[in-house]
Amino acid sequence: DVKVTQSSRYLVKRTGEKVFLECVQDMDHENMFWYRQDPGLGLRLIYFSYDVKMKEKGDIPEGYSVSREKKERFSLILESASTNQTSMYLCASNTGQGATSGASLGELFFGEGSRLTVL
Amino acid sequence: QQQVKQSPQSLIVQKGGISIINCAYENTAFDYFPWYQQFPGKGPALLIAIRPDVSEKKEGRFTISFNKSAKQFSLHIMDSQPGDSATYFCAASMNRDDKIIFGKGTRLHILP
């Protein structure tokens, strides 16, 4: 089974702190994504990556950065956390367009989420 | 053009009833329409998906109906059960683009 693991389920940070959210997938997926989930707003894409050291902005990249040094690992960084970044953060991965794995093209595999509270 | 609009925001259905969630899109380049199911404390997981070359896809009690001309698609849950209580997200993507755009979600509660 595909597994996407987010290192921290719950975090409490103070305004201005630097926050790292780590995500690891074990299916050799090319693509990795970070979403944030807020009530009534659904899943909004922050950043995504098609390959190692590549990154692209999603719909709400402001206040965030990402790092993908290895294929299996995708990190979300909040350089200076603010209270409006209190949210549930979800990491996901899927196969690239040219891949031949058994998963349905486009099927996203999500981690269980990291709930971040910024005080 | 990238938006996927989902309704209703919340839905309460009696056990055994039919749950219906609707989605609409604008971008005619979308060619893959999945539905994700999310239980509390878990990440979303793919439930069922459809491509626009068919008008309906059924998997067990779950059916997607797709209307290409109206740019609408819907999820029907037949014989709804309390275990179906979850948040459901419709989504869309383009084959040339791995990015998936989600609706805002529907919180479904099935009364026992």
Side-chain angles (χ1 to χ4, degrees), chain A residues 9 31 37 97 106 108 112, chain B residues 36 38 41-42 95 98 100:
Chain A
R9 293 295 306 274
N31 304 331
Q37 181 175 10
Q97 290 289 335
L108 275 175
E112 294 196 322
Chain B
Y36 283 77
Q38 183 183 30
K42 301 290 186 182
N95 202 35
D98 293 319
I100 295 179

Side-chain angles (χ1 to χ4, degrees), chain A residues 1-6 22-33 49 52 68 70-74 91-95 109-111:
Chain A
D1 278 352
V2 174
K3 193 162 185 182
V4 178
T5 303
Q6 295 183 229
E22 304 285 339
C23 175
V24 177
Q25 51 94 2
D26 66 359
M27 272 299 288
D28 201 35
H29 283 167
E30 286 76 15
N31 304 331
M32 297 189 75
F33 305 81
S49 169
V52 175
R68 194 166 180 202
K70 293 185 177 181
K71 189 176 185 180
E72 68 271 17
R73 188 179 298 269
F74 192 36
C91 176
S93 70
N94 69 4
T95 58
F109 294 88
F110 283 89

Side-chain angles (χ1 to χ4, degrees), chain B residues 23-48:
Chain B
C23 283
Y25 63 98
E26 290 294 325
N27 190 343
T28 55
F30 286 144
D31 60 2
Y32 174 69
F33 301 90
W35 286 87
Y36 283 77
Q37 179 188 53
Q38 183 183 30
F39 293 108
K42 301 290 186 182
L46 180 66
L47 179 64
I48 186 172

Side-chain angles (χ1 to χ4, degrees), chain A residues 46-100:
Chain A
I46 305 171
Y47 267 97
F48 58 107
S49 169
Y50 289 143
D51 201 350
V52 175
K53 296 193 185 295
M54 293 183 66
K55 61 183 178 182
E56 294 199 28
K57 294 180 180 179
D59 300 318
I60 52 164
E62 296 78 18
Y64 303 94
S65 62
V66 290
S67 172
R68 194 166 180 202
E69 296 295 320
K70 293 185 177 181
K71 189 176 185 180
E72 68 271 17
R73 188 179 298 269
F74 192 36
S75 302
L76 180 69
I77 304 157
L78 288 68
E79 292 288 343
S80 178
S82 63
T83 54
N84 63 12
Q85 292 179 309
T86 292
S87 186
M88 170 69 82
Y89 291 89
L90 289 161
C91 176
S93 70
N94 69 4
T95 58
Q97 290 289 335
T100 57

